[in-house]
Amino acid sequence: MNSSLLSLAIWVPIIGALPLLALGSERRELVRWLALAVAIAGFAVTLPLYLDFDRQFVGMQFVEMAPWIPRFNVQYFLGVDGISVLFILLNAFVTILVVLAGWEVIQEKVAQYMAAFLIMSGLMNGIFAALDAMLFYVFFEASLIPMYIIIGVWGGPSRVYAAFKFFLYTLLGSLLMLIALFYLFLQAGGSFNLLEWHQLRLTMTPQILIFVAFLIAFAVKVPMWPVHTWLPDAHVEAPTGGSVVLAAIMLKLGAYGFIRFSLPILPDASHYLAPMMIALSLIAVVYIGFVALVQADMKKLIAYSSISHMGFVTLGFFIFNQIGVEGALVQMISHGFVSAAMFLCVGVMYDRMHSRQIADYGGVVNKMPKFAAFFMLFAMANAGLPATSGFVGEFMVILGAVKHNFWVGFAAATTLILGAAYTLWMYKRVVFGAVGNDHVAELTDIGWREFLVLALLAAAVLAMGIYPFPFTDIMHASVDNLLKHVAMSKL
Amino acid sequence: MLNNFVMPDLYPAAPELFLATMACVILLVDLFAGPARRWLTGSLTLLTLIGCAAVTFLTFDGTSSLTFANMFIDDPVADFLKFLVCIAVVVVLIYGRDYMAERNLDKGEYYLLVLFATLGMMVMISAYNFLTLYLGLEMMSLSLYAMVAIDRDSPRATEAAMKYFVLGALASGLLLYGMSMIYGATGTLELGLVAQALQDGVANRTIMVFGLVFLVAGIGFKLGVVPFHMWVPDVYHGAPTAVTLFISSAPKLAAFAMALRLLVSGLFGMADQWQTMLMIMAVLSIGIGNLAAIAQQNIKRMLAYSGISHMGFMLLALMSGVVGRETDPMALVNAYSSAMYYSVAYVIMSLGAFGMVLLLSRAGYEAENLEDFKGLNKRSPWFALMMMVIMLSMAGIPFFVGFFAKFTVLLAAVAAEHVVVAVIAVMFSLVGAYYYLRVVKLMYFDAPVDSAPIRASVDMKILLSANGLAVALLGLFPNTLMMLCTATLVRSL
């Protein structure tokens, strides 16, 4: 199969962003509509990826290959399997939401704001589609630039600190990864082709060293405990759109890195270090869950809840069974929807009150009933209530974990209590009760644009919770293949 | 000895001869044109340099030839570097024209010094004998000392020139002393014969190592790497910005050529010795350059320290040619071509960065503090974007040329089994990312303090935009330049 769909998915948003930059910040209305058009076009070109995806076929589909840097045998090599295709769709979908969410809130430098998000969307599609390690790496690092700008220009009071922390933290990890990529390049006899790397034989010591280099890169991005500290800062300071993309897509890059790089290239090291990975994941799930409980800032609370949920994802990967890995992937997609929705909900309130402190709210339901209903649904999904998407992934991972080891599963299951506790307690304090103060009394309910954004997400969350088959079906063959790779020793 | 005169083949030296002749013509033209027709000198200088680039391009034939009794070599690497030097100097002149005119510094001397410095660099690039090399080096250096002091009334510039001159003279002395040692051990000044003597094992190794240390010190000084870097920040800071732009660009290519000729063409037999020396210098430069740059408030000083770290990266590639004691042609090509690629990429970025400083400066006002970049995005989104591209490129973030420069260098280092050094280098480039990002922060996150509109001539604006776009496009399509560096090097080694 040869098509240019993946190239389109990458370059349509990026090239579409250029006229926005050229238009400048004068004609705001035009810029917004144009940005929306580009985002929708970007989503439209990804749809055939899902519809025409061959579910039985094991391996990469929609493959594109062209020499990019023949001097070092770097290829412009794109392709998706059942795992990555979902993230490209999710990314393109979230981009539309972000454009809509920034419609009225962003009044300064509108063109640059929209362009930054569109460019980032294209770059992240590139990360998910790249099958050449260097191509992956350049997209991986380049995606830091727009996010740095977004946090720094449109962020909150200590945005500068957060932007630097975000950038340098992530760069630290990826630079070590670069050295590991060079090593693999030389071992593979001068090839950056990821699929060839999956077959590459490596002895234990290099495997472990490379695993550690990759771990630092991906763990920062996921983020795993203890390198998670940049995330709460970045989330709190970023504008709503930034938080949404950060939580929904950027965090997935690290986890995606584990399945594309660490597991298949370094199966022996993965097995050897799995207990450590499981321990780190459980610390994230349990300890960060407690940390989330005591947060006074809503965005911080959701940020910590994200870390805790991502702990589930890494846990699912490193128990090496089908249901665990699939559960982790479902959890990634679901978290993409739910965390995006949670941040949008906080954004809706923040736009009206200019406060993220839980204490400043109370009784919001009296003034914003429609909003409260949506927020309720997303809070439940975040807590992992059955019939929402949050339940499916967590349940599958817990099942897988119990299969692996009862006590691991037991520890993971505490999230059902913790998650419910911190989310619902926050929800109760913010939404229920009597009207807290005069500011809350002046709140107005959501407008049609906000309604549309939240409704789209609500539909996704419910659909995935009630009938997850379309999501699991597409990834089935690829996960199978992945596990086969992981089970094969390379020693 | 020589009993009869043989006319040397002048063809390989055509660009130099053209440049030397034109420089003498311009000297006379300037004398008679007088201050009223100063534009004539400037335009003729530009045309000469463009002509020189054209001559270099037209006489390029992809082969190596020696002339002037094997003192002068014309090989593809030389042609390529000379061409780039001419282009870089043209860019320097256009960027600096308004700046120099506003300060009444664009006298005939300025243009002539530029021409003679360029001639010196070209001779350096083509040197195949210690004497030719030294002649070219001194021609370049003396012109540069005078250029730094061209603003006679500025105490800061005079101080900088003095420092530059004293330390530069010391370095030249060291270099000369090293050369004399090697001459003593091998009995020849010709690089090829030195290499031959090393291979035959007839040279006294102790004296050779002794001489090598002095040579490496001299090279280190001209490149501006730790521990011979003290002059760099002061000179960059003290010199008029247009001159800083000049010092930071083309001479780096010449210094790279000098290192390549001396160490690779001449003293390759002692690679195991000088590689270790270069490794120490590279690691120290990358470390100290990046750490010291953080503390700078003056962008010229910041870029000076950043330049030190970039030259450290270049050395990192230069020291990766020979693994153990085995000479693997593939490793050689990868290492030296990536050093060359790094130098070229650095020159392109450095031109852009100092060009931006010049763009923001105007009559009676030096925009040389980091603060002056505050809110540039409000004042001019386009040039803020260009500066961001250049800064991120210097930090080594893809998709810009600086990333691929670091890519090739680190790959060469890892291939040479210098993994630990490579890890140290990337960790310090993480430190480096901080101060480049700070410039981006000032431009994008902060409000402007200076709201004067940006005034510059159209050609400068176009050229500066082209420069920024080149940094981006050479990053999106890095293969061509990489291949050029590799191909010329393969044909010259």
Side-chain angles (χ1 to χ4, degrees), chain A residues 11 21 68-72 74 108-109 112 123 134-135 137-139 141-142 145 148-149 151-153 159-160 163-164 167-169 171-172 175-176 178-179 182-183 185-186 192, chain B residues 333-334 337 377-378 381 388 392 396-400 403-404 407-408 410-411 414-415 419 422-423 426-427 429-430 433-434 437-438 440-441 444-445 475-476 478-479 482-483 486:
Chain A
W11 297 108
L21 286 175
W68 180 36
I69 311 175
R71 172 74 180 81
F72 289 99
V74 179
E108 269 195 35
K109 303 176 194 143
Q112 293 186 350
L123 292 175
M134 266 336 284
L135 194 64
Y137 184 83
V138 291
F139 280 125
E141 249 194 37
I145 304 168
Y148 171 76
I149 299 284
I151 297 176
V153 176
R159 60 209 155 92
V160 175
F164 272 92
F167 199 107
L168 295 178
Y169 237 102
L171 191 62
L172 163 74
L175 284 172
L176 285 176
L178 185 64
I179 303 289
F182 289 157
Y183 182 84
F185 169 78
L186 295 164
F192 279 115
Chain B
V333 169
N334 279 343
S337 73
N377 185 33
K378 271 248 164 58
M388 176 166 78
L392 292 173
I397 309 288
F399 286 85
F400 308 114
F403 168 75
F404 291 98
F407 164 88
T408 55
L410 291 171
L411 187 55
V414 174
V419 179
V423 169
V426 294
M427 283 301 108
S429 54
L430 178 71
Y434 169 75
L437 282 178
R438 195 172 54 182
V440 178
K441 174 231 159 201
Y444 279 84
F445 304 174
L476 278 174
N479 195 54
M482 280 181 192
M483 280 298 200
T486 314

Side-chain angles (χ1 to χ4, degrees), chain B residues 188-210:
Chain B
T188 177
L189 288 169
E190 191 186 319
L191 293 174
L193 295 179
V194 171
Q196 192 60 44
L198 272 172
Q199 204 171 9
D200 298 345
V202 293
N204 182 324
R205 200 105 180 140
T206 318
I207 302 177
M208 287 299 280
V209 171
F210 194 72

Side-chain angles (χ1 to χ4, degrees), chain B residues 134-168:
Chain B
Y134 186 73
L135 273 176
L137 178 67
E138 283 307 281
M139 190 162 194
M140 176 190 88
S141 302
L142 287 169
S143 309
L144 289 180
Y145 304 146
M147 279 174 77
V148 172
I150 199 156
D151 188 3
R152 278 179 305 194
D153 302 329
S154 156
R156 213 175 61 186
T158 316
E159 187 196 325
M162 204 60 208
K163 259 182 201 159
Y164 194 18
F165 176 69
V166 171
L167 289 173

Side-chain angles (χ1 to χ4, degrees), chain B residues 12-230:
Chain B
E16 284 83 358
L17 293 173
F18 174 77
L19 189 59
T21 317
M22 284 308 290
C24 295
V25 171
I26 292 170
L27 190 63
L28 289 175
V29 169
D30 183 60
L31 190 65
F32 291 107
R37 273 166 292 178
R38 201 175 266 171
W39 57 270
L40 193 64
T41 318
S43 318
L44 268 179
T45 309
L46 272 182
L47 283 179
T48 303
L49 287 163
I50 294 171
C52 188
V55 171
T56 315
F57 185 76
L58 292 174
T59 58
F60 177 80
D61 56 3
T63 57
S64 303
S65 47
L66 289 164
T67 183
F68 294 113
N70 291 356
M71 291 182 86
F72 188 95
I73 186 167
D74 176 43
D75 57 5
V77 163
D79 286 334
F80 183 56
L81 288 176
K82 279 184 215 169
F83 182 77
L84 291 175
V85 162
C86 290
I87 300 296
V89 178
V90 168
V91 174
V92 166
L93 286 177
I94 293 176
Y95 283 174
R97 196 184 53 210
D98 290 354
Y99 179 92
M100 296 305 265
E102 279 158 1
R103 284 153 189 78
N104 204 20
L105 298 173
D106 61 339
K107 303 175 195 118
E109 299 96 278
Y110 169 64
Y111 291 106
L112 282 158
L113 288 170
V114 166
L115 283 177
F116 282 116
T118 311
L119 183 59
M121 288 180 230
M122 292 174 70
V123 172
M124 255 169 101
I125 290 170
S126 268
Y128 199 64
N129 185 299
F130 285 136
L131 283 182
T132 338
L133 189 86
Y134 186 73
L135 273 176
L137 178 67
E138 283 307 281
M139 190 162 194
M140 176 190 88
S141 302
L142 287 169
S143 309
L144 289 180
Y145 304 146
M147 279 174 77
V148 172
I150 199 156
D151 188 3
R152 278 179 305 194
D153 302 329
S154 156
R156 213 175 61 186
T158 316
E159 187 196 325
M162 204 60 208
K163 259 182 201 159
Y164 194 18
F165 176 69
V166 171
L167 289 173
L170 182 69
S172 297
L174 292 180
L175 197 68
L176 214 50
Y177 188 56
M179 288 173 181
S180 72
M181 283 293 153
I182 289 170
Y183 178 68
T186 59
T188 177
L189 288 169
E190 191 186 319
L191 293 174
L193 295 179
V194 171
Q196 192 60 44
L198 272 172
Q199 204 171 9
D200 298 345
V202 293
N204 182 324
R205 200 105 180 140
T206 318
I207 302 177
M208 287 299 280
V209 171
F210 194 72
L212 176 68
V213 172
F214 286 99
L215 280 193
V216 169
I219 294 170
F221 181 87
K222 294 298 168 191
L223 282 172
V225 290
V226 181
F228 310 105
H229 66 290
M230 297 301 187

Side-chain angles (χ1 to χ4, degrees), chain A residues 236-297:
Chain A
V236 168
E237 297 304 328
T240 305
S243 294
V244 168
V245 171
L246 199 57
I249 315 294
M250 275 217 155
L251 300 192
K252 309 300 177 294
L253 299 177
Y256 176 75
F258 279 120
I259 22 180
R260 190 58 88 224
F261 285 82
S262 305
L263 293 182
I265 299 175
L266 314 159
D268 304 288
S270 301
H271 280 285
Y272 181 71
L273 294 172
M276 179 185 83
M277 299 300 294
I278 291 173
L280 290 178
S281 308
L282 286 178
I283 292 174
V285 170
V286 180
Y287 165 71
I288 300 292
F290 278 112
V291 174
L293 206 52
V294 298
Q295 297 305 315
D297 180 311

Side-chain angles (χ1 to χ4, degrees), chain A residues 302 337-347 375 378-379 382 423 426:
Chain A
I302 303 169
F337 292 132
V338 176
S339 65
M342 291 294 279
F343 280 117
L344 283 168
C345 285
V346 175
F375 196 13
F378 298 131
N382 201 42
T423 319
M426 173 196 75

